Amino acid sequence: MTDAPRSTPEEPWPVRVVSQKVGAWIAKLGWVWVDGQVAQISRRPGAGTVFLTLRDPSADLSLTVTTNRDVLDSGAPELREGARVVLHAKPEFYAARGTLSLRADEIRQVGLGELLARLEKLKKLLAAEGLFDRARKRRPPFLPQRIGLVTGRASAAERDVLTNARRRWPAVEFRTVNVAVQGPGAVSQIVDALRVLDADESVDVIILARGGGGIEDLLPFSDEALCRAVFACRTPVVSAIGHETDAPLVDYVADVRASTPTDAAKRVVPDLADEVRLIGQARSRLERAVRNLVDRESHRLTLLRSRPVLARPQVMVEQRAAEVSALRDRAGRNLHHRLDAATGDLRHTLARLRALSPAATLDRGYAIVQRADGHVVRVAGEVAGGDPLRVRLAEGELTVTVDA
């Protein structure tokens, strides 16, 4: 059986055809509303067209936006780089170059009220998902071996954290990652820095630090992607963004919220002078406790030694010996008394026996006559002439024969 012939491929499309079809499909999207951050504005003198670079705050992605100068001036005349905008645009794909851009006919700069409303909506969403749950927050170690610091390069926040931490504990170590703390690329850089530090086993705690600023300046620290990145960290995260009155959303997600970068250094690193003082106080309390314990036990030993049983142990033996001697004398007296009483009773009994004894009767001159078989003769008729008899007297006996 032979193999079936391989089918011939379809006619391949040229690149321009593929690009044209992609452009045709994108053209079907129509007009859409797009939210983003202005990374760059290009206004050419005398030109009616303005070019914008619109960046996604949560991703490393940007698109070119073309619009008419009148559209920009009417919708956002004071637009600056870094501002947040919402624009109505139509996606356009340039087949010749294979690039995607947006053509806008309306641009609105996001106002503070609208921005706050969006942040409040995002705050409720994150809270409902449990990102603010206090039960999951972890306590930083008492003395971290190494601290990760995410902050702007050569910023006042970096200087405050490093200076105050090293003043409190000179041996503390830092791994600092400098990032942009505002602007279009801030969120992605901060998220990448968090991932790098979280993967470092030697880092025990991470500090996010930034100085003060307006709500727009602190906007990256309320970004959803950054909040979720902080929530996903295995290492405890301390948020030190702005001043005490500032409260970006990352403050609610972080394990510890510090009011300022200086406060973050105080919360993460113990004060060496305070710890030395506390150790000294603890040693003093321990010494007093040990001294009191020794004094108390020494007093107890003194009391025990002062007791008669320990001060003069022979006293107890002497007391017991006297008691034994007294008991022995009493027992002897009791025994003698009993023996004397028994002797008296015996004498009385013996006197009674003697009084009732036949020998006593014989002593009074009586005699006992017995036949040869020992039978006592009480009646003369019990014997006949010639019978031998034995007569017992008080002293001795006589052998006689009956005549009649």
Side-chain angles (χ1 to χ4, degrees), residues 101-122:
S101 64
L102 299 174
R103 179 165 52 87
D105 64 353
E106 184 177 353
I107 298 178
R108 301 177 186 174
Q109 184 170 353
V110 177
L112 181 59
E114 184 178 356
L115 185 59
L116 293 177
R118 291 188 181 186
L119 293 180
E120 186 64 26
K121 182 178 179 181
L122 178 58

Side-chain angles (χ1 to χ4, degrees), residues 7 34 38 158 219 302 330 332:
S7 59
V34 182
V38 178
E158 179 181 8
L219 193 60
T302 302
R330 202 167 91 189

Side-chain angles (χ1 to χ4, degrees), residues 61-290:
L61 177 65
S62 60
L63 287 176
T64 300
V65 180
T66 59
T67 187
N68 189 277
R69 181 182 293 271
D70 295 336
V71 172
L72 182 62
D73 293 340
S74 62
E78 302 296 331
L79 187 63
R80 296 289 184 272
E81 293 179 355
R84 195 75 172 262
V85 296
V86 175
L87 51 87
H88 188 248
K90 187 177 187 303
E92 294 180 343
F93 186 78
Y94 293 91
R97 292 178 298 186
T99 58
L100 177 66
S101 64
L102 299 174
R103 179 165 52 87
D105 64 353
E106 184 177 353
I107 298 178
R108 301 177 186 174
Q109 184 170 353
V110 177
L112 181 59
E114 184 178 356
L115 185 59
L116 293 177
R118 291 188 181 186
L119 293 180
E120 186 64 26
K121 182 178 179 181
L122 178 58
K123 180 179 178 181
K124 293 180 180 180
L125 173 64
L126 298 180
E129 294 184 14
L131 270 70
F132 302 164
D133 190 4
R134 300 182 65 89
R136 60 153 294 275
K137 296 185 182 298
R138 297 150 298 183
R139 178 179 297 179
F142 170 72
L143 182 58
Q145 179 181 357
R146 199 177 190 191
I147 301 173
L149 177 60
V150 180
T151 186
R153 183 180 303 277
S155 62
E158 179 181 8
R159 184 177 61 257
D160 289 345
V161 173
L162 296 179
T163 302
N164 286 279
R166 287 167 178 161
R167 181 184 298 124
R168 293 171 63 84
W169 198 274
V172 66
E173 294 183 6
F174 277 90
R175 180 180 179 182
T176 304
V177 180
N178 295 119
V179 297
V181 292
Q182 69 182 61
V187 174
S188 59
Q189 291 185 30
I190 296 173
V191 170
D192 292 341
L194 282 174
R195 290 171 180 168
V196 170
L197 293 177
D198 190 40
D200 190 346
E201 297 293 337
S202 65
V203 174
D204 297 324
V205 62
I206 300 173
I207 299 178
L208 280 177
R210 188 203 189 282
I215 295 179
E216 295 83 356
D217 297 331
L218 302 180
L219 193 60
F221 296 94
S222 293
D223 188 85
E224 181 178 359
L226 178 57
C227 291
R228 296 189 182 278
V230 171
F231 182 78
C233 284
R234 298 172 301 171
T235 308
V237 178
V238 178
S239 175
I241 308 302
H243 302 296
E244 188 172 358
T245 55
D246 298 321
L249 296 185
V250 74
D251 281 353
Y252 300 96
V253 184
D255 297 285
V256 177
R257 178 189 181 272
S259 58
T260 61
T262 300
D263 182 46
K266 294 180 179 180
R267 287 175 174 268
V268 172
V269 179
D271 191 345
L272 180 60
D274 289 342
E275 297 305 319
V276 171
R277 178 178 53 81
L278 292 175
I279 292 174
Q281 294 176 354
R283 290 183 59 183
S284 299
R285 290 196 300 269
L286 181 60
E287 290 176 358
R288 289 196 299 270
V290 172

Side-chain angles (χ1 to χ4, degrees), residues 13-78:
W13 288 355
V15 174
R16 66 178 183 278
V17 176
V18 176
S19 181
Q20 291 171 356
K21 289 184 176 293
V22 171
W25 183 84
I26 292 177
K28 295 179 181 179
L29 292 177
W31 293 85
V32 295
W33 285 99
V34 182
D35 178 16
Q37 193 170 21
V38 178
Q40 185 178 1
I41 304 176
S42 177
R43 295 186 178 94
R44 296 176 182 176
T49 303
V50 178
F51 297 91
L52 306 176
T53 300
L54 192 67
R55 187 181 184 89
D56 189 325
S58 303
D60 190 10
L61 177 65
S62 60
L63 287 176
T64 300
V65 180
T66 59
T67 187
N68 189 277
R69 181 182 293 271
D70 295 336
V71 172
L72 182 62
D73 293 340
S74 62
E78 302 296 331

